[in-house]
C-alpha cells in the first residue's frame, strides 16, 4: 500500500512537471526554456525536477509520448478515415496546444539529434497505427497503396496543423467537399 501511494505521488509530481513544462515550452520554445525557468514554472527546485527526469530531453520525450498516445487513442476512437475530410476542413484534428508543441519539437529536432530521434520514433508509431487502421477499413488495398495513402494523409494532417497558425482562406464547406473527393480517390480499390 505504501508503494502504491509513493508511485501515485511520483506520477502526480511528474504530471505537474509536464504541465509546467508545456506552459514554459509554449511561451519560450524548447531551445530557449532553461531548466531553471521550468523549475520556477513548476514551483520546484531544479534538483527536484532531476529526481523525476534526467534532463530536458527526457521531459520533451515524455511530452511527445503523451501527445502521441492521445493521438493514437483519438485515432482508435474515430476508427474511420471517413471522418477525416470533416476534421481537415474544420482544422480540428488535434488539440491546438499539442499541435503547437509538436511544431516546437520539429524546430528543436533541427538542432538536437536526440529530439530528432524522438520525432522519428513518434512518427513511426503514428504511421504504423494509421496503416493498421486503414488496412482494417480497406483490406483490399495493397500494403504499398496503404503506405502511400497514409503518407499523403500525414502531409495533409501535419500541414493542417501548421496552417492553423493562419486564417483559413476557404470555407470549411468547400474544403470538406475537396477533402472528401481526395479521400474517395485515396481509398478506392486499385482495380476500380
Amino acid at each position: 500500500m505504501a508503494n502504491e501511494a509513493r508511485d501515485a505521488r511520483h506520477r502526480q509530481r511528474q504530471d505537474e512537471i509536464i504541465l509546467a513544462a508545456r506552459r514554459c515550452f509554449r511561451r519560450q520554445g524548447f531551445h530557449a526554456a532553461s531548466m531553471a525557468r521550468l523549475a520556477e514554472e513548476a514551483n520546484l527546485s531544479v534538483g527536484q525536477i532531476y529526481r523525476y527526469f534526467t534532463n530536458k530531453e527526457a521531459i520533451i520525450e515524455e511530452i511527445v509520448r503523451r501527445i502521441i498516445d492521445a493521438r493514437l487513442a483519438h485515432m482508435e476512437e474515430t476508427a474511420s478515415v471517413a471522418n477525416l475530410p470533416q476534421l481537415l476542413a474544420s482544422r480540428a484534428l488535434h488539440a491546438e496546444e499539442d499541435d503547437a508543441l509538436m511544431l516546437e519539437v520539429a524546430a528543436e529536432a533541427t538542432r538536437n539529434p536526440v529530439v530528432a530521434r524522438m520525432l522519428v520514433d513518434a512518427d513511426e508509431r503514428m504511421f504504423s497505427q494509421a496503416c493498421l487502421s486503414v488496412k482494417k477499413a480497406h483490406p483490399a488495398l495493397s500494403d504499398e497503396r496503404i503506405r502511400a495513402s497514409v503518407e499523403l494523409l500525414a502531409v495533409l494532417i501535419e500541414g493542417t496543423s501548421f496552417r492553423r497558425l493562419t486564417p483559413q482562406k476557404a470555407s470549411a464547406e468547400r474544403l470538406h467537399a475537396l477533402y472528401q473527393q481526395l479521400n474517395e480517390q485515396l481509398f478506392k480499390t486499385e482495380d476500380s
Side-chain angles (χ1 to χ4, degrees):
M1 191 71 168
N3 285 342
E4 289 177 19
R6 188 188 71 233
D7 290 347
R9 179 68 186 139
H10 186 82
R11 282 190 305 276
Q12 180 183 355
R13 183 64 81 183
Q14 281 183 319
D15 290 346
E16 291 166 359
I17 292 167
I18 291 299
L19 286 173
R22 287 175 65 100
R23 289 189 304 269
C24 193
F25 292 155
R26 279 283 287 126
R27 278 195 307 274
Q28 298 177 315
F30 293 129
H31 192 65
S34 68
M35 287 299 276
R37 179 66 193 111
L38 196 150
E40 181 182 319
E41 184 75 33
N43 295 317
L44 299 169
S45 71
V46 173
Q48 286 174 302
I49 290 178
Y50 283 125
R51 285 186 197 159
Y52 298 94
F53 296 97
T54 56
N55 54 34
K56 190 164 54 168
E57 283 88 2
I59 295 170
I60 295 168
E61 185 172 27
E62 181 63 16
I63 289 170
V64 170
R65 186 192 64 74
R66 290 178 184 204
I67 289 171
I68 298 305
D69 286 351
R71 289 181 177 184
L72 289 171
H74 183 256
M75 192 186 304
E76 282 298 313
E77 287 169 14
T78 57
S80 171
V81 292
N83 298 332
L84 200 52
Q86 182 59 42
L87 294 171
L88 284 165
S90 65
R91 294 185 176 184
L93 289 161
H94 309 115
E96 190 170 347
E97 182 178 317
D98 287 352
D99 282 346
L101 284 167
M102 290 306 287
L103 288 171
E104 286 291 339
V105 170
E108 183 65 16
T110 66
R111 299 179 283 269
N112 183 329
V114 173
V115 176
R117 181 82 248 159
M118 287 177 211
L119 194 59
V120 168
D121 291 345
D123 179 71
E124 181 57 37
R125 284 182 66 205
M126 289 292 296
F127 191 85
S128 295
Q129 186 59 46
C131 286
L132 289 173
S133 295
V134 170
K135 185 68 169 176
K136 185 189 272 186
H138 302 281
L141 296 179
S142 70
D143 289 345
E144 182 180 344
R145 174 68 179 267
I146 289 170
R147 283 190 306 276
S149 297
V150 168
E151 182 66 26
L152 181 59
L153 289 174
V155 169
L156 287 171
I157 291 166
E158 290 166 13
T160 298
S161 295
F162 181 77
R163 296 290 299 163
R164 227 181 195 180
L165 301 173
T166 62
Q168 192 158 308
K169 310 289 189 293
S171 73
E173 294 79 22
R174 184 66 184 134
L175 288 171
H176 180 266
L178 290 171
Y179 285 132
Q180 186 64 43
Q181 290 171 8
L182 180 61
N183 207 41
E184 289 166 7
Q185 283 296 311
L186 279 175
F187 299 112
K188 74 178 185 179
T189 56
E190 294 161 294
D191 56 1
S192 332

